[in-house]
Amino acid sequence: MITHNELRLLPWSGPEGKSCYLSTDDADGYLSRLADSTEAVQLRLAAELLEASDVLGDRDAGLEELRVLAVDLPGALRDVLRVAISRGHRLSAPEFGDGEEDGEGPRLPAAAFG
């Protein structure tokens, strides 16, 4: 039986906005490559929108520029979040010393906070 953690969350939604998942052992299969390509496009678009967000601090920016940015940013954020969740599910947990014995899951090293 395949568990939820063995399924790949795909970077697109199905009918009625529901999540789509892929069950495969072939990371080089057609759907896996299509998902990888789609994620790359989504991340590139988000990076471009982030660069364009400089318009938010521009007092001379036109209403249309602001409107386009405001419409596009939530979708890009939703896509990036989906990519992050998908990739996070596919990360393999360390075998030893992962901190899971206390039920809190893996921890970042203290240096990451400094």
Side-chain angles (χ1 to χ4, degrees), residues 3 7 10 26 28 30 57 60-61 64 70 80 82 93 101 104 111:
T3 66
L7 299 175
L10 294 171
D26 185 6
D28 292 324
Y30 175 76
D60 297 325
E64 187 60 27
V80 169
R82 183 185 300 266
E101 57 276 351
E104 292 184 20

Short mmCIF file of all heavy atoms in Angstrom, two decimals, residues 3 7 10 26 28 30 57 60-61 64 70 80 82 93 101 104 111:
data_model
loop_
_atom_site.label_atom_id
_atom_site.label_comp_id
_atom_site.label_asym_id
_atom_site.label_seq_id
_atom_site.Cartn_x
_atom_site.Cartn_y
_atom_site.Cartn_z
N THR A 3 1.68 5.02 0.93
CA THR A 3 1.27 6.00 1.93
C THR A 3 1.28 7.40 1.33
O THR A 3 1.84 7.63 0.26
CB THR A 3 2.21 5.97 3.15
OG1 THR A 3 3.50 6.41 2.73
CG2 THR A 3 2.29 4.58 3.75
N LEU A 7 3.59 9.70 -2.16
CA LEU A 7 2.98 10.36 -3.29
C LEU A 7 3.61 11.72 -3.51
O LEU A 7 3.91 12.42 -2.55
CB LEU A 7 1.47 10.52 -3.07
CG LEU A 7 0.68 9.23 -2.90
CD1 LEU A 7 -0.77 9.56 -2.56
CD2 LEU A 7 0.75 8.38 -4.15
N LEU A 10 1.73 17.24 -7.08
CA LEU A 10 2.04 17.84 -8.38
C LEU A 10 1.82 19.35 -8.34
O LEU A 10 1.01 19.85 -7.55
CB LEU A 10 1.20 17.19 -9.47
CG LEU A 10 1.53 15.71 -9.72
CD1 LEU A 10 0.52 15.08 -10.66
CD2 LEU A 10 2.95 15.56 -10.26
N ASP A 26 9.61 6.08 -10.84
CA ASP A 26 10.45 6.56 -11.94
C ASP A 26 10.55 8.08 -11.91
O ASP A 26 9.69 8.79 -12.42
CB ASP A 26 9.87 6.09 -13.28
CG ASP A 26 10.74 6.44 -14.46
OD1 ASP A 26 11.87 6.94 -14.26
OD2 ASP A 26 10.30 6.20 -15.61
N ASP A 28 12.41 9.83 -13.58
CA ASP A 28 12.67 10.32 -14.94
C ASP A 28 11.51 10.05 -15.88
O ASP A 28 11.64 10.22 -17.10
CB ASP A 28 13.95 9.67 -15.50
CG ASP A 28 15.19 10.15 -14.76
OD1 ASP A 28 15.23 11.33 -14.37
OD2 ASP A 28 16.11 9.33 -14.57
N TYR A 30 7.74 10.55 -17.68
CA TYR A 30 7.16 11.71 -18.35
C TYR A 30 6.49 12.67 -17.35
O TYR A 30 6.76 13.87 -17.37
CB TYR A 30 6.15 11.27 -19.42
CG TYR A 30 5.45 12.44 -20.05
CD1 TYR A 30 6.10 13.24 -20.97
CD2 TYR A 30 4.14 12.78 -19.69
CE1 TYR A 30 5.48 14.34 -21.54
CE2 TYR A 30 3.51 13.87 -20.24
CZ TYR A 30 4.18 14.66 -21.16
OH TYR A 30 3.56 15.74 -21.71
N GLY A 57 7.07 50.39 -3.85
CA GLY A 57 7.67 51.53 -3.17
C GLY A 57 7.78 52.76 -4.05
O GLY A 57 8.25 53.81 -3.61
N ASP A 60 5.38 56.99 -7.98
CA ASP A 60 4.91 57.36 -9.30
C ASP A 60 4.33 56.17 -10.08
O ASP A 60 3.97 56.31 -11.25
CB ASP A 60 6.05 57.98 -10.12
CG ASP A 60 6.55 59.28 -9.49
OD1 ASP A 60 5.72 60.02 -8.92
OD2 ASP A 60 7.77 59.53 -9.54
N ALA A 61 4.25 55.02 -9.44
CA ALA A 61 3.74 53.83 -10.13
C ALA A 61 2.28 54.04 -10.48
O ALA A 61 1.50 54.61 -9.71
CB ALA A 61 3.90 52.62 -9.24
N GLU A 64 -2.47 50.72 -12.85
CA GLU A 64 -2.50 49.47 -13.62
C GLU A 64 -1.32 48.57 -13.25
O GLU A 64 -1.47 47.35 -13.11
CB GLU A 64 -2.50 49.75 -15.12
CG GLU A 64 -2.69 48.53 -15.98
CD GLU A 64 -4.00 47.79 -15.72
OE1 GLU A 64 -4.99 48.43 -15.29
OE2 GLU A 64 -4.04 46.57 -15.94
N ALA A 70 -0.69 43.02 -7.93
CA ALA A 70 -1.58 42.52 -6.88
C ALA A 70 -2.35 41.28 -7.33
O ALA A 70 -2.61 40.38 -6.52
CB ALA A 70 -2.56 43.61 -6.45
N VAL A 80 4.48 28.65 -5.35
CA VAL A 80 5.74 28.43 -4.64
C VAL A 80 5.49 27.61 -3.37
O VAL A 80 6.28 26.72 -3.02
CB VAL A 80 6.44 29.76 -4.31
CG1 VAL A 80 7.58 29.58 -3.34
CG2 VAL A 80 6.94 30.41 -5.61
N ARG A 82 3.13 25.40 -2.92
CA ARG A 82 2.87 24.03 -3.36
C ARG A 82 4.18 23.32 -3.69
O ARG A 82 4.39 22.17 -3.33
CB ARG A 82 1.94 24.01 -4.57
CG ARG A 82 1.57 22.60 -5.03
CD ARG A 82 0.74 22.62 -6.29
NE ARG A 82 -0.50 23.34 -6.14
CZ ARG A 82 -1.66 22.77 -5.81
NH1 ARG A 82 -1.73 21.49 -5.61
NH2 ARG A 82 -2.74 23.50 -5.70
N ALA A 93 14.27 11.85 5.64
CA ALA A 93 14.65 12.21 7.00
C ALA A 93 15.94 11.51 7.37
O ALA A 93 16.17 10.38 6.97
CB ALA A 93 13.53 11.81 7.97
N GLU A 101 12.20 11.32 18.32
CA GLU A 101 11.76 10.51 19.44
C GLU A 101 10.87 11.30 20.40
O GLU A 101 10.09 10.73 21.13
CB GLU A 101 12.95 9.89 20.19
CG GLU A 101 13.96 10.90 20.72
CD GLU A 101 15.00 11.32 19.69
OE1 GLU A 101 15.08 10.73 18.61
OE2 GLU A 101 15.72 12.30 19.96
N GLU A 104 8.61 15.88 17.98
CA GLU A 104 8.69 17.21 17.41
C GLU A 104 9.29 17.24 16.02
O GLU A 104 9.33 18.27 15.38
CB GLU A 104 9.49 18.13 18.33
CG GLU A 104 8.79 18.40 19.64
CD GLU A 104 9.56 19.37 20.49
OE1 GLU A 104 10.41 20.11 19.96
OE2 GLU A 104 9.32 19.42 21.71
N ALA A 111 23.25 26.82 14.74
CA ALA A 111 23.94 27.80 13.89
C ALA A 111 23.00 28.43 12.87
O ALA A 111 23.23 29.54 12.40
CB ALA A 111 25.12 27.13 13.19
#
